[in-house]
Amino acid sequence: MTSAASDNPGNRADALPKSWNPSEVEAELYERWVAAGYFAADATSAKPGYSIVLPPPNVTGSLHMGHALDHTLMDTLSRRKRMQGYEVLWLPGMDHAGIATQTIVEKQLAVDGKTKEDFGRELFIDKVWDWKRESGGSIQWQMRALGDGVDWSRDRFTMDDGLSRAVQTIFKRLFDAGLIYRAERLVNWSPELRTAISDIEVKFEDVEGELVSLRYGSLNDNEPHVIVATTRVETTLGDTAVAVHSEDPRYKDLIGTTLEHPITGRQIPIVADDYVDPEFGTGAVKITPAHDPNDFEMGLRHNLPMPSIMDERGRIIGTGTEFDGMDRFEARVKVRERLAAEGRIAAEKRPYLHSVGHSERSGEAIEPRLSMQWWVKVESLAKAAGDAVRNGDTVIHPTSQEPRWFEWVDNMHDWCISRQLWWGHRIPIWYGPEGEVVCVGPDETAPEGWVQDPDVLDTWFSSGLWPFSTMGWPDSTTELQKFYPTSVLVTGYDILFFWVARMMMFGTFVADDHVLTAGKDGAKQVPFKDVFLHGLIRDQYGKKMSKSRGNGIDPLDWINSYGADALRFTLARGAQPGGDLSVGESHALAARSFVTKLFNATKFALMNGAEPGVLPDRTELTDADRWIIDRLEEVRAEVDSAFDAYEFGKACEALYHFAWDELCDWYLELSKVQFAGPRAESTRIVLGNVLDAVLRLLHPVIPFVTESLWRALTGGASVVIADWPQATGIATDDTAAQHISDAQRLITEIRRFRSDQGLADKQKVAAKLIGLDTAGLTELHDSVANLARLTEPGAEFAATASVEVRLSGSTVTVELDTSGAVDLDAERRRLEKDFAAAEKELVTTTAKLGNEAFLAKAPDQVVDKIKGRRGIAEAEVARIGARLAELSGK
């Protein structure tokens, strides 16, 4: 400890504000870190590499609680590894979000009565780029507010030239390998957006519909007919068969025959298919292959015609009926009315609650539609993605999520990758005048006069390349050599199947690419070594946050109200592998209180000259000193183990309880006595060292307050680049630990006794501590007296009360003189009020337990609970009654 600090210990405390106000310091601290280059990764460094790529948020997006959780956990991992001596790359970026971004710009054009067609493809794309430069990416400044330690110099965008080159490269490789093909299949179609959309962009909602039972064939009950039920009666126009189960006796004679279509008059076959459940409804289903996924599969099995009866806007076409040109929902009503007029409705329409897919972007009901699209053949890619986990090349945390992973990749369907948009990576397929098809690579040119495919790729196609395209692939780069494969992917379990699966498929497809294996013994590379899956954020009542429920929380509101550290600690403290977490205002308030407690404790320590230094020999330390040092080491080991296992909540709980309960509530209080005694110097060093380590351990989770406190405590440049605490290798002093445990019990029991006696918390009472020497607590006499608000007895001391406290090896007797310390009248009134409440509880619970009718009906756990309440009430009546009797005798 320096002499300057000893002579004027308030110097470093004065460097801190009077109180912690996050809004006044967080932004400045963050920009200081960025300016100092602390987050910039050096690919040529000799340090071991550690890398995380940020799941790219949409360029149209803003920070929500899910992002805040993701970012907090990634930043925690990155900051800790940086302190552990790794060269850390946390690479940021954004996704071009094809549908969402194009929709925003189209809506802006619509304000002026314009459409994208008025501008043409090239001019419209220019307008999208203009919007991206001016308005896109607001999430970036929100990331800074949260404290994200990303390498901004490597910020990437999925439409960057380099990433576009990667997209074109892998498309051609997959195409040349026969893994990309064009085919007419059923897709999720958005009539409003006029494009196919991915499964992840479809949200299923329960909808109040109507179930219509309609009659095919003859209206004469004695002639061939079947009755089918549907919620989408308009699709009847596209029916090409009716299916029944092959073993259903009701329809055996009809299988192989035909019936007249109830509207078009066409003859349609009755086919046998074991997909049909004979126990459901009438046991007969209509088949519309071009507008229902299950019907499509049956249509393939039975070689049925597949007429599309809706155009890209969801309007009826090509049926040759009066319904052509109608919107699908208008047609639903009109078709039912005609069927009813012709006597084809076999039963009254009835309400029917069923699940309907809706577009996440437009909110409309999705229309299954037969459409010519580009597809990825996923069988071999999915198998490789599954094998990477089976072989241990990639480890999923928690392992309980592995079965879900295998269930998905082992049963994956081919992936529709084309979108009918203008904004995005255009499919690199060109068509010649004679129908020729060529896939053009990034260094190739299409033949003159050929026409490029108008569609663009699914956004998930480019984001599936994110772990290696962001580092320069397909070119050989120092980043790929240093930081690939990435160390861990942090994301929610809800997108395990969509984004994670795509990255694993593409990553394993290029696993033996020489630019990825160079310098790595030629071994195949996976995109990430670990996949950490956290749960979803729910509100304080356990309900999923959503706009419709109105229970969402804007993380920026919490940052403004409580500070980024409080938000981060709330999220990290609740995060466990695979488990959902509930958060509410009470959690944020508790986290803010913890940050404030840490600030006040450190400021107190600085005012008393605490400063890290070389510890004296352990023989020169007090029991309290040795105990807190040993507990710190135990907590450090627990925190390291938890972080290594991605158990963020466990690490935060350990640090919270150590810092609050043991360091602040006990050691700081014990140190107040030591500061006034001969051990003051060593106490300052011990406290300084413990605070130094605690601030470093907490820094990855709460970086702002720990930065301010650590710099004031140590005078160091920044805790961001400080070393992570290491194991001391010193054996734990069990005797010191037992002595402190005994002292804590003794102090707690004295405090409880004082409360029972009605003594005010700050009221000091003369007392004798008998048996401290036998208990080994002589050294702690002054600390016990100070914390229990006891004073030395004078010559006239006369004990009016006593309490015996059984400790680990002996009993300590505390004799107190409470005369004059208690307002007897006030204490009697308080006790009488408590006594009446306890008596009332005793009467109530006794009556319930004496009610035979109640006991006969009540569950055992309810009865046990009431018995417990009665037991507590009995004890309180006895305790308070005894105290009242004691007061009456005085």
Side-chain angles (χ1 to χ4, degrees):
M1 182 170 171
T2 63
S3 58
S6 300
D7 294 339
N8 189 0
N11 280 347
R12 287 171 295 122
D14 292 341
L16 294 173
K18 183 177 180 180
S19 60
W20 180 247
N21 189 339
S23 62
E24 294 180 356
V25 295
E26 288 182 346
E28 180 183 347
L29 285 176
Y30 185 83
E31 294 308 325
R32 177 180 175 274
W33 291 332
V34 174
Y38 293 150
F39 305 141
D42 180 3
T44 65
S45 167
K47 299 177 182 178
Y50 183 88
S51 58
I52 300 177
V53 290
L54 177 77
N58 288 351
V59 67
T60 60
S62 59
L63 198 70
H64 56 63
M65 271 298 189
H67 287 131
L69 173 61
D70 262 351
H71 292 210
T72 294
L73 302 185
M74 284 183 279
D75 196 36
T76 295
L77 293 172
S78 299
R79 287 176 182 269
R80 175 172 176 255
K81 286 298 181 180
R82 187 179 294 112
M83 296 171 76
Q84 287 181 314
Y86 288 79
E87 190 63 41
V88 174
L89 169 62
W90 183 16
L91 193 149
M94 288 186 296
D95 191 288
H96 64 279
I99 292 176
T101 307
Q102 179 163 321
T103 299
I104 286 176
V105 178
E106 284 195 82
K107 286 181 177 178
Q108 290 179 346
L109 297 180
V111 173
D112 297 324
K114 301 287 186 180
T115 68
K116 68 180 189 296
E117 286 77 14
D118 293 328
F119 293 88
R121 186 167 193 145
E122 289 189 9
L123 283 178
F124 175 76
I125 290 175
D126 286 343
K127 286 189 171 295
V128 180
W129 276 109
D130 289 342
W131 177 88
K132 189 264 180 184
R133 283 187 287 267
E134 294 172 10
S135 306
S138 64
I139 204 168
Q140 289 187 343
W141 69 262
Q142 296 169 331
M143 289 168 60
R144 301 173 97 90
L146 186 60
D148 285 3
V150 296
D151 185 348
W152 290 112
S153 69
R154 286 182 167 83
D155 190 26
R156 305 306 300 269
F157 182 55
T158 48
M159 291 286 285
D160 285 348
D161 289 343
L163 273 68
S164 296
R165 173 179 169 82
V167 168
Q168 199 170 355
T169 298
I170 202 163
F171 186 100
K172 181 169 177 57
R173 291 192 187 182
L174 289 164
F175 181 86
D176 291 346
L179 296 178
I180 286 182
Y181 64 95
R182 195 169 185 239
E184 189 176 38
R185 290 189 175 182
L186 215 62
V187 296
N188 300 309
W189 187 266
S190 169
E192 182 172 323
L193 300 172
R194 283 175 287 160
T195 181
I197 64 174
S198 69
D199 292 338
I200 197 172
E201 290 163 330
V202 177
K203 303 298 180 185
F204 285 87
E205 302 172 8
D206 286 339
V207 173
E208 288 270 358
E210 58 182 39
L211 193 63
V212 177
S213 296
L214 58 102
R215 184 174 183 132
Y216 280 68
S218 176
L219 292 174
N220 187 334
D221 290 345
N222 296 321
E223 295 178 353
H225 68 277
V226 295
I227 295 173
V228 300
T230 180
T231 57
R232 303 177 67 224
V233 70
E234 73 281 3
T235 62
T236 302
L237 298 166
D239 290 351
T240 57
V242 171
V244 297
H245 194 277
S246 59
E247 300 299 323
D248 193 329
R250 293 170 293 180
Y251 304 113
K252 275 205 168 185
D253 293 341
L254 287 178
I255 295 173
T257 67
T258 62
L259 293 176
E260 182 180 336
H261 190 282
I263 293 180
T264 67
R266 298 190 313 269
Q267 291 293 313
I268 62 174
I270 309 295
V271 300
D273 197 292
D274 290 346
Y275 167 78
V276 180
D277 180 3
E279 302 298 324
F280 183 77
T282 64
V285 297
K286 68 187 202 67
I287 305 178
T288 319
H291 295 279
D292 182 272
N294 297 316
D295 293 6
F296 176 75
E297 296 298 329
M298 285 195 284
L300 291 176
R301 288 196 291 272
H302 298 282
N303 197 28
L304 298 174
M306 299 187 179
S308 291
I309 61 162
M310 293 185 201
D311 67 8
E312 62 180 11
R313 296 181 182 272
R315 296 173 301 197
I316 305 298
I317 57 167
T319 68
T321 68
E322 70 268 29
F323 308 110
D324 283 354
M326 291 184 184
D327 174 79
R328 54 184 171 153
F329 298 115
E330 179 188 3
R332 179 173 298 175
V333 175
K334 297 299 183 182
V335 169
R336 178 173 49 76
E337 289 177 348
R338 173 172 164 178
L339 290 170
E342 295 179 359
R344 294 269 176 193
I345 302 299
E348 289 295 324
K349 65 177 182 178
R350 51 194 172 90
Y352 185 73
L353 187 68
H354 60 130
S355 183
V356 177
H358 287 72
S359 168
E360 184 183 43
R361 301 298 177 190
S362 62
E364 64 181 326
I366 287 300
E367 187 63 45
R369 182 171 186 254
L370 193 62
S371 177
M372 184 67 73
Q373 302 286 346
W374 286 95
W375 303 79
V376 172
K377 189 181 298 184
V378 301
E379 183 179 4
S380 61
L381 300 173
K383 182 181 184 303
D387 288 345
V389 175
R390 288 188 179 94
N391 299 336
D393 298 325
T394 295
V395 179
I396 293 178
H397 303 265
T399 55
S400 59
Q401 292 288 338
E402 284 186 1
R404 298 180 69 227
W405 170 256
F406 294 129
E407 181 182 359
W408 176 259
V409 297
D410 293 346
N411 299 284
M412 192 181 295
H413 299 294
D414 284 0
W415 171 20
C416 175
I417 56 172
S418 47
R419 299 290 179 266
Q420 290 63 57
L421 303 171
W422 286 358
W423 171 246
H425 295 100
R426 195 163 175 181
I427 289 177
I429 293 290
W430 294 72
Y431 304 103
E434 303 300 325
E436 306 97 325
V437 176
V438 64
C439 180
V440 177
D443 300 317
E444 301 171 346
T445 304
E448 187 175 350
W450 286 37
V451 178
Q452 188 173 3
D453 193 292
D455 289 351
V456 301
L457 288 163
D458 177 14
T459 296
W460 295 99
F461 191 94
S462 54
S463 60
L465 310 178
W466 192 250
F468 47 93
S469 65
T470 52
M471 296 188 197
W473 187 90
D475 297 326
S476 178
T477 66
T478 54
E479 283 78 11
L480 285 169
Q481 293 176 26
K482 181 73 174 180
F483 298 115
Y484 190 83
T486 61
S487 304
V488 61
L489 173 74
V490 177
T491 191
Y493 64 67
D494 54 325
I495 61 171
L496 173 66
F497 308 136
F498 304 103
W499 185 47
V500 182
R502 270 97 171 122
M503 288 189 289
M504 286 291 284
M505 289 194 300
F506 285 160
T508 52
F509 178 70
V510 298
D512 56 359
D513 190 310
H514 72 279
V515 304
L516 301 179
T517 61
K520 300 166 186 173
D521 300 324
K524 291 186 176 183
Q525 301 298 316
V526 290
F528 20 73
K529 298 172 185 175
D530 285 351
V531 176
F532 169 66
L533 300 171
H534 59 73
L536 305 179
I537 298 185
R538 300 182 180 275
D539 68 14
Q540 58 189 328
Y541 305 109
K543 296 185 181 296
K544 185 177 179 180
M545 290 186 180
S546 68
K547 291 181 180 178
S548 60
R549 286 195 181 96
N551 63 344
I553 299 171
D554 185 340
L556 290 180
D557 288 345
W558 274 17
I559 290 175
N560 292 334
S561 298
Y562 310 114
D565 286 331
L567 169 64
R568 291 168 62 112
F569 194 76
T570 297
L571 297 175
R573 191 180 182 186
Q576 294 292 4
D580 291 351
L581 60 153
S582 296
V583 297
E585 293 283 340
S586 60
H587 300 94
L589 286 167
R592 184 179 66 177
S593 295
F594 176 62
V595 170
T596 301
K597 182 88 167 180
L598 194 66
F599 177 85
N600 291 338
T602 306
K603 192 164 187 180
F604 165 81
L606 290 174
M607 291 175 66
N608 284 276
E611 185 176 22
V614 178
L615 285 171
D617 188 275
R618 281 175 72 90
T619 59
E620 299 178 25
L621 301 178
T622 66
D623 282 342
D625 295 337
R626 290 192 291 272
W627 163 74
I628 198 66
I629 291 170
D630 291 346
R631 280 296 298 135
L632 171 65
E633 172 57 18
E634 291 170 352
V635 169
R636 182 211 57 77
E638 185 178 354
V639 168
D640 271 339
S641 177
F643 276 140
D644 287 342
Y646 303 106
E647 295 176 334
F648 297 89
K650 186 175 180 180
C652 289
E653 281 297 305
L655 286 168
Y656 175 89
H657 288 293
F658 174 74
W660 191 302
D661 301 341
E662 297 179 290
L663 177 57
C664 295
D665 282 358
W666 285 109
Y667 184 74
L668 275 183
E669 295 301 317
L670 294 171
S671 70
K672 290 177 180 178
V673 174
Q674 296 185 179
F675 281 142
R679 303 290 182 88
E681 188 73 7
S682 60
T683 301
R684 293 187 181 100
I685 296 175
V686 169
L687 181 55
N689 283 6
V690 172
L691 276 172
D692 171 26
V694 166
L695 293 173
R696 284 183 283 150
L697 289 168
L698 281 166
H699 172 72
V701 182
I702 48 174
F704 293 106
V705 70
T706 52
E707 171 79 342
S708 295
L709 297 178
W710 188 86
R711 289 172 59 197
L713 177 70
T714 68
S718 173
V719 71
V720 175
I721 52 174
D723 291 336
W724 185 253
Q726 300 296 310
T728 63
I730 299 173
T732 300
D733 189 333
D734 294 334
T735 301
Q738 188 60 68
H739 286 168
I740 297 301
S741 177
D742 283 344
Q744 290 171 333
R745 175 170 172 76
L746 177 59
I747 293 165
T748 301
E749 289 302 317
I750 297 172
R751 287 172 172 172
R752 182 178 293 116
F753 183 79
R754 286 172 55 102
S755 176
D756 288 344
Q757 294 294 310
L759 294 170
D761 288 343
K762 295 184 178 180
Q763 175 69 54
K764 293 192 174 183
V765 178
K768 287 183 179 180
L769 297 169
I770 304 169
L772 280 187
D773 53 347
T774 307
L777 303 183
T778 303
E779 179 186 274
L780 290 161
H781 176 280
D782 291 348
S783 294
V784 171
N786 183 60
L787 293 178
R789 294 289 189 270
L790 305 178
T791 61
E792 284 294 317
E796 303 301 321
F797 175 80
T800 60
S802 68
V803 60
E804 291 186 350
V805 182
R806 179 66 183 173
L807 304 179
S808 59
S810 63
T811 298
V812 172
T813 301
V814 185
E815 295 182 344
L816 304 95
D817 179 7
T818 60
S819 59
V822 180
D823 182 337
L824 296 181
D825 290 337
E827 177 63 6
R828 187 178 292 106
R829 288 193 297 271
R830 182 185 71 81
L831 289 171
E832 287 172 346
K833 183 178 179 181
D834 292 347
F835 186 78
E839 274 194 323
K840 182 179 180 181
E841 173 74 350
L842 181 58
V843 169
T844 301
T845 53
T846 300
K848 282 190 175 182
L849 293 174
N851 186 333
E852 295 297 334
F854 169 77
L855 294 176
K857 295 180 180 179
D860 290 343
Q861 60 267 31
V862 173
V863 175
D864 290 341
K865 186 175 182 180
I866 293 174
K867 287 180 178 178
R869 285 170 51 194
R870 183 176 67 175
I872 293 172
E874 287 175 336
E876 284 294 278
V877 167
R879 182 185 69 82
I880 300 172
R883 179 60 179 150
L884 282 170
E886 191 177 306
L887 289 178
S888 298
K890 291 182 180 177

